[in-house]
């Protein structure tokens, strides 16, 4: 912006309204702009915190800042709070959420940690963030979303204003039925079951039934699992739904072993993507009487529905069930949407016989090679001959005579059909003329003389159909805008279903003049650039002032995953809209582009990304589809490969790719690229070649795809070489979930980066790690055990593995700051049984987590850190800790250089406990500061004086040592 700083001149109420759309991190960063902005962020009525990006060395500072933020103006309300946790538990997390709730939060969205720790047997045990007790009696909450959180039994539940409840992979210690009984106005409930849930239900049978009982509930959804699962929970669980006011029910995945429905007298819409059996790729036994009875009762329970949407999997299950049972009549069903795989088309007339009053049918036919060439649809059910008025068909375009079975069937047999909408698939519109398609359709027999056929083959035809639909748009909208409105409203309508409508209590309503619309266009587009494109486009209906503003926003933030799997017409509308957006003002820049794909392949995806790159994109973030094709119970991945112009972009500064494919372009040159993040990429080009074309790259993050089998046939992909002269920071990110398997292909990671200053290895994804020329290394973070298989430690007497570890440790021995996990500590202790750990002579700061049964190894490890000055130690206690453990050896650094020690250790007031604290106080001769954070106790049950008394009894060798206790809300200094 040139000239005056017009944003700073806005009133504070408007500035806080603008900042409320930003994550808290960015909101706080505005405080350095000027005096005007110094404290504006403190008045924002909301929090949006992402703890997952906070590094271990700054987490304490971050939490201290959050505490001060919560203490500021405690009487003011925090209407909207969103918190995403990191991959490990945070002390005091529950208390902080409780403080937020006490501030009158109306919208609460929490993604808890998914931390796992290994016990002494190598088993992965989950750590759980349980929600505070005041959550269950909040009088302000309207919207609540919890992911991976724990819910304890509070005894009493009453949330009188809660209308929207989203519970994803919850650890249950309270019955769902009890939670719902305390929500008298609940309208929408969404569930995702945690199939990996701690085996609580195995010992408590009452948790093997989840009852959805509510008089007020209008919408209920079971969302699909985050990924394809090839196993089911070890604990069988029944879902029971009893909701007389329920209008919309969506069951999106097989997460329950049985489903029981009762009293669904108000049901209007049902969406089914289930096969009534949890295990992937397996159908139920049709001759199992109990299972057949269960399915019959379920279908009877939803038989009054008016609109049904079913997936190809559910169609297969219905056809399977019909071999032994009778599908009931759906007498009220007027609209039906279904996906039929070609070989199951024979079942279509039989199913339609159960829908005698059907008026509107939307049918997608997925053709397969094994489809019977002699397939004929002969039977004509009642609805086809007497009530069916509109049919929409997506079917493979085949111009030969006798093909396109579904289209021929309905045109030839529907007596009262008024409209047939045909969307031919599996053809290239550039190679097929529209006249060919119309000629094919005109040759088909049409029984209904009133039928109008519409072929949605290209952009032009799609426009006409959408314009026809837009006639229902409010008359207050100018006619010239109706087509545009219908275009984007159709594309975004599905995503809005899962978001609660805004309420007056959730938004800040400005009275008087519309001050935002009076701002200059350059400032408005700057504000819109912080919003997802969906929301940016929606502003076009506000007024004439806003009609075309979104077209000038220099960025895109698209989330295609919000479009339903079977909503292909909606997807076509959405893509057509995006194409129009890209065609508008092609000479203007798109500085920042973020795209998240759905779980199906999208035609033309690669070309569209190429167009965006050609628009001068500097920041590109693409999450590609993770779609698998199932063939005889095997999953074959489909890959979105990036366009060739990516590799020669002269503008890209930041590149993040997730689940994308990278082909070999022959030549790579990205002269401005500084930050590269590659997560589960499908490699067809060597990483070394990619990096060689990035001369100013400073930061690289990797997450290996353990399921990419391309390297099976190509040995050159069994080594990933990180070679760069400019690289300053390198990270191997943790896997998205705990894996109990390893890749079928051994892979070596080789790091050769003379300018590297910070290296973080966050998970065992490589069978060996080789480091070279790390002469500038300052900080290293290790969460590895030098062996890929989960829960297994390497053999220390394996000479090749021992040499590999020795070379690795020698290669990082010049580091100054080291952070190591309990897993790495255990691996180093194991290695030390056969080999000598090298000296870390430059190491001045060490952060480490020790399980208590490995504390005996602590003095030995510190012997290799002769000049250590600052130690941060977390002691994780276990029941098998030896009672007779004594720390007697005193390494050189403890007696001569160690100046500051921070300890998190279990509070034990008995004499002779708190081993680590006693050890450092009693042996550190030059210690200036010891910071103690006692854990595993309830501060309500322990007096401050008891902790002081305990610490004062300990022997102190350094007379000038200052002891700080972080036990209560206030820091106590002795």
């Amino acid at each position: 912006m040139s000239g005056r700083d017009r944003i700073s001149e806005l009133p504070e109420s408007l500035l806080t309204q603008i900042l409320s759309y930003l994550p808290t991190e960015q909101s706080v960063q505005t405080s350095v702009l000027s005096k005007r902005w110094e404290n504006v962020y403190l008045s924002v009525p909301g929090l949006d915190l992402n703890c997952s990006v906070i590094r271990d060395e700054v987490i304490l500072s971050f939490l201290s800042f959050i505490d001060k933020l919560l203490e500021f103006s405690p009487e003011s309300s925090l209407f909207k709070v969103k918190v995403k946790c990191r991959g490990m538990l945070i002390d005091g997390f529950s208390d902080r959420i409780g403080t937020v709730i006490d501030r009158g939060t109306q919208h609460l969205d929490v993604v808890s940690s998914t931390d796992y720790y290994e016990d002494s047997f190598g088993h992965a045990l989950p750590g759980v963030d349980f929600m505070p007790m005041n959550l269950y009696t909040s009088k302000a909450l309207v919207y609540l979303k919890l992911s991976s959180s724990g819910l304890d039994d509070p005894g009493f539940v009453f949330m009188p204003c809660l209308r929207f409840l989203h519970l994803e992979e919850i650890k249950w210690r309270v019955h769902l039925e009890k939670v719902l009984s305390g929500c008298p106005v609940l309208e929408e409930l969404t569930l995702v079951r945690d199939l990996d849930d701690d085996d609580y239900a195995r010992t408590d049978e009452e948790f093997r039934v989840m009852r959805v009982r509510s008089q007020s509930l209008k919408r209920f959804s079971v969302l699909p699992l985050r990924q394809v699962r090839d196993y089911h929970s070890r604990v069988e669980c029944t879902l029971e739904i009893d909701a007389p006011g329920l209008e919309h029910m969506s069951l999106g995945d097989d997460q329950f072993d049985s489903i029981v429905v009762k009293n669904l007298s108000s049901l209007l819409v049902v969406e089914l993507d289930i096969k009534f059996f949890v295990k992937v790729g397996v159908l139920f036994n049709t001759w199992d009487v109990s299972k057949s009875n269960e399915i019959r009762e379920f279908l009877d329970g939803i038989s009054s529905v008016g609109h049904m949407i079913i997936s190809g999997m559910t169609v297969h299950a219905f056809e399977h069930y019909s071999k032994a049972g009778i599908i009931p009549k759906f007498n009220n069903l007027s609209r039906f949407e279904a996906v039929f795989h070609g070989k199951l088309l024979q079942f279509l007339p039989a199913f339609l016989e159960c829908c005698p009053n059907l008026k509107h049918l939307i049918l997608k036919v997925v053709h397969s090679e094994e489809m019977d060439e002699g397939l004929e649809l002969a039977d004509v059910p009642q609805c086809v001959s007497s009530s069916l008025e509109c049919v929409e068909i997506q079917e493979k375009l085949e111009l030969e005579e006798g093909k396109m079975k579904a289209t021929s069937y309905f045109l030839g047999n529907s007596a009262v059909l008024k409209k047939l909408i045909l969307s031919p698939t599996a053809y290239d519109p550039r190679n097929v003329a529209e006249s060919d398609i119309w000629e094919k359709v005109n040759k088909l027999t049409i029984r209904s003389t009133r039928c109008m056929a519409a072929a949605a083959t290209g952009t032009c035809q799609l426009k006409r159909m959408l314009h026809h639909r837009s006639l229902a748009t409010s008359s207050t909208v100018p006619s010239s805008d109706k087509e545009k409105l219908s275009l984007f409203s159709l594309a975004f309508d599905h995503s809005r279903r899962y978001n609660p409508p805004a309420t007056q209590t959730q938004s800040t309503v400005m009275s008087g003049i519309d001050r935002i619309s009076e701002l200059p266009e350059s400032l408005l587009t700057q504000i819109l650039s912080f919003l997802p494109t969906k929301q940016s486009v929606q502003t076009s209906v506000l007024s004439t002032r806003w009609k075309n503003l979104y077209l000038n926003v220099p960025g895109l933030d698209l989330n295609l995953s919000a479009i339903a799997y079977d909503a292909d017409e909606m997807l076509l509308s959405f893509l057509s809209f995006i194409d129009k957006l890209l065609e508008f003002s092609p000479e203007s820049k798109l500085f920042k582009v973020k795209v998240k794909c759905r779980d199906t392949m999208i035609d033309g995806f690669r070309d569209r990304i190429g167009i965006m790159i050609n628009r001068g994109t500097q920041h590109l973030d693409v999450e590609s589809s993770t779609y698998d094709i199932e063939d005889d119970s095997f999953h074959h991945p489909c890959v979105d490969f990036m366009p060739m112009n990516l590799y020669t972009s002269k503008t890209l500064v930041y590149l993040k790719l997730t689940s994308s494919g990278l082909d070999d372009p022959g030549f790579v040159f990205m002269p401005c690229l500084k930050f590269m993040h590659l997560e589960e990429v499908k490699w067809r080009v060597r990483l070394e070649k990619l990096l060689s074309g990035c001369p100013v790259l400073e930061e690289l993050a990797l997450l290996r795809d353990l399921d990419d089998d391309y390297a099976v046939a190509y040995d050159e992909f069994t080594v990933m070489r990180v070679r760069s002269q400019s690289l300053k920071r390198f990270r191997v990110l943790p896997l998205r979930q705990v894996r109990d398997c390893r890749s079928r292909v051994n892979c070596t990671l080789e790091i050769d980066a003379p300018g590297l200053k910070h290296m973080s290895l966050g998970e065992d994804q490589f069978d060996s790690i080789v480091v070279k020329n790390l002469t500038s290394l300052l900080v290293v973070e290790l969460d590895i055990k030098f062996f890929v298989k989960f829960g297994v430690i390497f053999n220390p007497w394996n000479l090749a593995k021992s040499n590999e570890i020795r070379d690795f440790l020698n290669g990082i021995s010049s580091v100054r700051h080291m952070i190591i996990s309990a897993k790495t500590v255990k691996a180093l202790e194991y290695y030390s049984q056969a080999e000598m750990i090298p000296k870390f002579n430059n190491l001045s700061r060490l952060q480490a987590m020790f399980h208590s049964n490995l504390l005996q190894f602590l003095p030995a490890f510190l012997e290799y850190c002769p000049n250590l000055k600052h130690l941060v130690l977390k002691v994780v206690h276990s029941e098998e800790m030896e009672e007779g453990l004594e720390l007697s050896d005193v390494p050189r650094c403890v007696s001569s250089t160690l100046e500051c020690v921070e300890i998190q250790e279990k509070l034990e007031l008995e004499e002779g406990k708190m081993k680590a604290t006693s050890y450092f106080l009693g042996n550190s001769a030059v210690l200036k500061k010891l910071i103690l954070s006692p854990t595993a106790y309830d501060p309500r049950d322990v007096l401050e004086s008891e902790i002081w008394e305990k610490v004062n009894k300990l022997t102190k060798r350094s007379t000038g040592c200052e002891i700080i206790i972080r036990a209560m809300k206030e820091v106590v200094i002795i």
Side-chain angles (χ1 to χ4, degrees):
M1 297 292 293
S2 59
R4 283 198 329 254
D5 178 6
R6 287 177 284 182
I7 294 183
S8 295
E9 293 175 358
L10 299 174
E12 185 162 320
S13 58
L14 184 53
L15 290 178
T16 56
Q17 184 182 354
I18 294 172
L19 290 184
S20 68
Y21 293 111
L22 301 181
T24 300
E25 177 189 7
Q26 296 178 14
S27 175
V28 172
Q29 287 170 348
T30 62
S31 63
V32 303
L33 295 177
S34 67
K35 282 283 187 182
R36 174 73 175 91
W37 289 86
E38 189 175 7
N39 294 312
V40 172
Y41 74 91
L42 292 171
S43 301
V44 175
L47 288 173
D48 185 347
L49 304 171
N50 186 358
C51 303
S52 64
V53 298
I54 306 298
R55 301 192 303 274
D56 287 342
E57 61 264 30
V58 296
I59 186 63
L60 290 176
S61 303
F62 177 80
L63 294 176
S64 176
F65 167 74
I66 296 303
D67 291 339
K68 292 194 180 298
L69 203 59
L70 292 176
E71 290 168 6
F72 179 82
S73 187
E75 70 286 349
S76 63
S77 296
L78 288 173
F79 293 119
K80 186 172 182 179
V81 174
K82 183 177 181 181
V83 180
K84 182 179 181 181
C85 274
R86 58 211 302 262
M88 61 182 293
L89 294 176
I90 296 175
D91 289 338
F93 177 78
S94 178
D95 293 337
R96 292 180 178 94
I97 296 296
T99 301
V100 163
I101 293 170
D102 285 339
R103 293 275 293 271
T105 297
Q106 297 172 0
H107 181 120
L108 180 62
D109 181 348
V110 178
V111 180
S112 294
S113 69
T114 53
D115 187 27
Y116 284 78
Y117 61 90
E118 290 185 22
D119 63 12
S120 58
F121 300 102
H123 298 136
L125 302 176
V128 183
D129 282 326
F130 281 95
M131 290 297 101
M133 290 295 111
N134 61 342
L135 170 77
Y136 305 92
T137 54
S138 168
K139 295 180 180 179
L141 271 177
V142 175
Y143 176 94
L144 174 62
K145 180 179 179 182
L146 301 176
S147 300
S148 305
S149 307
L151 287 178
D152 250 329
D153 191 339
F156 175 71
V157 179
F158 187 57
M159 293 181 273
C161 296
L162 191 67
R163 295 171 58 199
F164 306 95
L165 181 59
H166 181 118
L167 302 172
E168 186 170 336
E169 297 188 350
I170 295 297
K171 314 293 183 181
W172 295 97
R173 299 297 181 271
V174 59
H175 299 299
L176 174 62
E177 180 181 7
K178 185 172 185 176
V179 173
L180 299 183
S181 69
C183 306
V185 297
L186 187 68
E187 296 179 5
E188 184 170 318
L189 172 65
T190 303
L191 287 181
V192 180
R193 185 182 169 209
D194 183 8
L195 296 187
D196 289 328
D197 189 9
D198 45 9
D199 299 329
Y200 195 68
R202 299 178 71 190
T203 57
D204 198 334
E205 293 187 0
E206 58 183 326
F207 283 92
R208 299 187 185 183
V209 179
M210 295 187 75
R211 293 185 175 91
V212 178
R213 289 182 178 171
S214 172
Q215 296 294 316
S216 61
L217 196 65
K218 294 181 180 179
R219 188 180 187 97
F220 172 62
S221 303
V222 175
L223 295 183
L225 296 170
R226 297 181 184 178
Q227 58 177 336
V228 175
R229 303 290 292 264
D230 58 359
Y231 61 91
H232 66 279
S233 173
R234 290 181 291 172
V235 182
E236 292 190 357
C237 186
T238 295
L239 175 65
E240 185 177 303
I241 308 165
D242 183 352
L246 193 66
E247 297 176 353
H248 191 127
M249 179 175 72
S250 174
L251 304 179
D253 226 323
D254 289 289
Q255 301 166 35
F256 298 92
D257 297 85
S258 60
I259 302 174
V260 178
V261 294
K262 302 176 182 178
N263 303 320
L264 302 187
S265 52
S266 302
L267 195 62
L268 299 176
V269 183
V270 64
E271 299 182 60
L272 301 177
D273 186 22
I274 56 175
K275 54 180 172 46
F276 302 98
F277 198 71
V278 173
K279 195 169 185 181
V280 170
V282 179
L283 282 175
F284 55 87
N285 182 354
T286 53
W287 305 109
D288 182 337
V289 177
S290 62
K291 177 58 73 173
S292 293
N293 288 340
E294 172 206 322
I295 298 174
R296 185 192 69 245
E297 291 170 0
F298 174 84
L299 294 176
D300 285 337
I302 65 169
S303 60
S304 63
V305 72
H307 180 184
M308 182 186 294
I309 305 165
I310 60 175
S311 69
M313 183 165 60
T314 301
V315 168
H316 194 182
F318 283 171
E319 188 270 343
H320 200 58
Y321 167 77
S322 69
K323 296 174 183 177
I326 298 175
I327 297 176
K329 294 280 188 182
F330 295 95
N331 292 311
N332 296 334
L333 193 66
S334 63
R335 183 181 177 96
F336 178 49
E337 303 178 41
V339 178
F340 272 73
H341 287 275
K343 60 183 178 181
L344 285 174
L345 263 182
Q346 197 77 55
F347 174 60
L348 178 60
F351 186 81
L352 293 181
E353 193 64 65
C354 305
C355 315
N357 300 304
L358 191 65
K359 291 188 176 182
H360 194 144
L361 171 65
I362 300 176
L363 177 67
K364 180 177 180 180
V365 181
V366 180
H367 285 254
S368 54
E369 293 180 2
E370 66 267 26
M371 180 175 176
D372 187 1
E373 285 296 325
L375 172 67
E376 292 297 332
L377 303 176
D379 296 337
V380 182
Q382 176 185 331
C383 67
V384 174
S385 59
S386 64
S387 66
L388 196 59
E389 297 178 352
C390 180
V391 176
E392 301 181 39
I393 300 177
Q394 293 183 38
E395 186 173 23
K396 183 179 180 182
L397 178 65
E398 297 185 280
L399 299 179
E400 298 86 355
E401 193 70 30
K403 301 293 185 177
M404 298 181 71
K405 304 284 185 180
T407 306
S408 304
Y409 173 75
F410 286 104
L411 279 177
N413 293 290
S414 300
V416 297
L417 194 65
K418 296 179 180 178
K419 184 186 292 183
L420 184 135
I421 302 171
L422 177 61
S423 298
T425 61
Y427 80 103
D428 190 338
R430 295 170 295 185
N431 300 329
V432 179
E434 291 183 21
S435 57
D436 294 332
I437 300 175
W438 285 112
E439 182 181 355
K440 167 68 177 176
V441 173
N442 284 328
K443 286 182 179 179
L444 301 177
T445 302
I446 304 177
R447 182 178 178 187
S448 172
T449 57
R450 295 182 297 169
C451 179
M452 177 183 72
T457 59
T459 305
C460 182
Q461 288 74 21
L462 185 61
K463 266 190 179 180
R464 288 201 291 267
M465 291 170 61
L466 292 174
H467 180 68
H468 176 76
R469 289 168 183 246
S470 70
L471 297 177
T473 307
S474 170
S475 60
T476 59
V477 182
S479 59
S480 60
D481 293 332
K482 287 181 180 178
E483 184 174 324
K484 179 178 68 177
L485 271 175
S486 62
L487 191 63
F488 80 75
S489 66
L490 227 113
F492 292 130
D493 203 38
H494 181 79
S495 63
R496 282 204 296 268
R497 297 188 315 177
Y498 294 106
N499 295 324
T503 64
Q504 288 186 349
T505 56
Q506 285 177 274
S507 60
T508 304
V509 180
M510 300 293 293
S511 59
I513 43 175
D514 179 5
R515 287 179 286 181
I516 293 183
S517 294
E518 293 178 352
L519 299 174
E521 183 170 316
S522 57
L523 181 55
L524 290 177
T525 55
Q526 185 180 351
I527 294 172
L528 290 182
S529 68
F530 293 111
L531 301 180
T533 301
K534 175 181 75 172
Q535 297 176 13
S536 174
V537 172
Q538 287 170 345
T539 62
S540 64
V541 301
L542 295 176
S543 68
T544 304
R545 175 77 171 90
W546 290 83
K547 185 171 69 171
N548 294 315
L549 277 177
Y550 72 91
L551 293 170
N552 296 317
V553 175
L556 287 174
D557 185 347
L558 306 170
N559 184 359
L560 281 72
S561 66
I563 300 177
Y565 172 77
D566 52 358
D568 291 286
E569 182 180 331
M570 188 182 302
L571 178 62
L572 286 173
S573 305
F574 181 88
L575 294 177
S576 176
F577 167 73
I578 296 304
D579 291 339
K580 293 289 182 189
L581 205 58
L582 291 175
E583 290 168 7
F584 180 82
S585 186
E587 71 285 351
S588 63
K589 302 293 184 182
L590 285 174
F591 292 118
K592 187 173 182 179
V593 174
K594 183 177 181 180
V595 181
K596 182 177 181 181
C597 276
R598 64 208 298 251
D599 286 338
T600 59
M601 298 294 289
I602 296 174
D603 291 338
F605 175 79
R606 175 176 175 152
D607 294 337
R608 292 181 178 94
I609 296 295
I611 292 172
M612 295 173 190
I613 293 170
N614 284 337
R615 293 276 294 272
T617 298
Q618 297 175 358
H619 181 120
L620 180 62
D621 182 347
V622 178
E623 184 173 338
S624 297
S625 67
T626 54
Y627 180 55
D628 285 352
I629 298 176
E630 190 172 344
D631 178 19
D632 298 328
S633 299
F634 291 100
H635 294 280
H636 303 285
C638 294
V639 183
D640 283 326
F641 281 95
M642 290 295 102
M644 289 295 114
N645 62 341
L646 170 77
Y647 305 93
T648 53
S649 168
K650 296 179 180 179
T651 58
L652 271 179
V653 176
Y654 176 96
L655 174 63
K656 180 179 179 182
L657 301 176
T658 304
S659 303
S660 307
L662 288 176
D663 253 330
D664 191 339
F667 176 70
V668 179
F669 186 59
M670 293 181 273
C672 296
L673 192 66
K674 290 185 177 182
F675 307 95
M676 188 189 297
H677 181 123
L678 303 174
E679 187 168 334
E680 296 189 347
V681 163
K682 312 292 184 182
W683 295 96
R684 303 299 181 267
V685 58
R686 293 192 303 277
L687 174 62
E688 181 181 6
K689 182 173 185 176
L690 194 65
L691 299 181
S692 68
C694 306
V696 297
L697 187 68
E698 295 180 4
E699 183 169 320
L700 173 65
L702 284 182
L703 174 58
R704 185 185 168 206
D705 181 8
L706 297 184
D707 296 324
D708 187 4
D709 295 335
Y710 192 70
V712 172
Y714 297 92
D715 289 342
E716 60 182 323
F717 287 95
T718 58
V719 178
M720 295 187 75
R721 292 185 175 91
V722 178
R723 289 182 178 172
S724 172
Q725 296 293 315
S726 60
L727 196 64
K728 295 179 181 179
R729 187 181 185 96
F730 172 62
R731 294 179 292 158
V732 175
L733 301 175
L735 295 170
R736 296 182 184 180
Q737 59 173 336
V738 174
R739 301 285 294 260
D740 59 359
C741 60
R742 57 186 290 183
S743 172
R744 291 186 296 159
V745 183
N746 286 346
C747 187
T748 295
L749 174 66
E750 186 177 303
I751 307 164
D752 183 351
L756 192 66
K757 294 181 178 179
H758 191 128
M759 180 174 71
S760 174
L761 304 179
E763 193 88 50
D764 290 288
Q765 301 165 35
F766 298 92
D767 298 86
S768 60
I769 302 174
V770 178
V771 294
K772 302 176 181 178
N773 303 319
L774 302 188
T775 52
S776 303
L777 196 62
L778 299 176
V779 183
V780 65
E781 300 181 59
L782 301 178
D783 185 23
I784 57 175
K785 51 179 173 45
F786 304 98
F787 199 72
V788 173
K789 194 169 184 181
F790 184 79
V792 178
I793 291 285
F794 60 87
N795 180 357
W797 307 108
N798 181 329
L799 186 59
K801 177 58 71 173
S802 292
N803 289 340
E804 171 206 322
I805 297 174
R806 185 193 66 239
D807 292 343
F808 174 83
L809 294 176
N810 283 327
I812 65 168
S813 60
S814 63
V815 72
R816 297 180 185 180
H817 181 183
M818 183 186 293
I819 304 165
I820 56 177
S821 70
K823 183 164 61 177
T824 303
V825 168
K826 186 175 181 179
L828 292 175
E829 188 272 341
Y830 209 55
Y831 168 78
S832 70
Q833 296 175 15
E835 295 285 347
M836 183 77 72
I837 295 176
K839 295 276 188 182
F840 295 94
N841 291 312
N842 296 336
L843 193 66
S844 63
R845 183 182 176 95
L846 172 66
Q847 296 173 238
M849 181 183 294
F850 274 71
H851 284 281
S852 54
N853 56 355
L854 283 174
L855 266 181
Q856 197 74 56
F857 174 60
L858 178 60
F861 185 75
L862 293 180
E863 194 63 66
Y864 305 116
C865 314
N867 300 306
L868 191 66
K869 291 186 176 182
H870 194 144
L871 171 66
V872 180
L873 177 67
K874 182 174 181 179
V875 181
V876 180
H877 284 254
S878 55
E879 294 180 0
E880 65 268 22
M881 178 178 175
E882 295 182 16
E883 286 296 323
L885 172 66
E886 291 297 334
L887 302 177
S888 54
D889 295 338
V890 181
R892 171 184 162 186
C893 66
V894 173
S895 59
S896 62
T897 63
L898 198 58
E899 296 178 353
C900 180
V901 176
E902 301 180 40
I903 300 177
Q904 294 181 39
E905 186 175 25
K906 183 178 179 181
L907 178 64
E908 296 185 281
L909 298 177
E910 298 86 356
E911 193 69 30
K913 301 293 185 178
M914 298 181 70
K915 303 285 186 180
T917 306
S918 305
Y919 174 75
F920 286 105
L921 276 178
N923 294 289
S924 300
V926 296
L927 195 64
K928 296 179 181 178
K929 184 185 294 184
L930 184 135
I931 303 171
L932 176 62
S933 299
T935 61
Y937 79 102
D938 189 337
R940 294 170 295 186
D941 300 333
V942 180
L943 297 175
E944 295 181 23
S945 58
E946 294 181 278
I947 301 178
W948 295 346
E949 183 181 354
K950 167 68 177 175
V951 174
N952 280 327
K953 286 182 178 179
L954 300 176
T955 303
K956 286 196 296 184
R957 184 177 177 188
S958 173
T959 55
C961 179
E962 175 189 28
I963 300 176
I964 299 175
I965 302 177
R966 288 184 176 143
M968 279 63 66
K969 288 186 177 179
E970 295 184 0
V971 174
V972 179
I973 301 178
I974 302 177

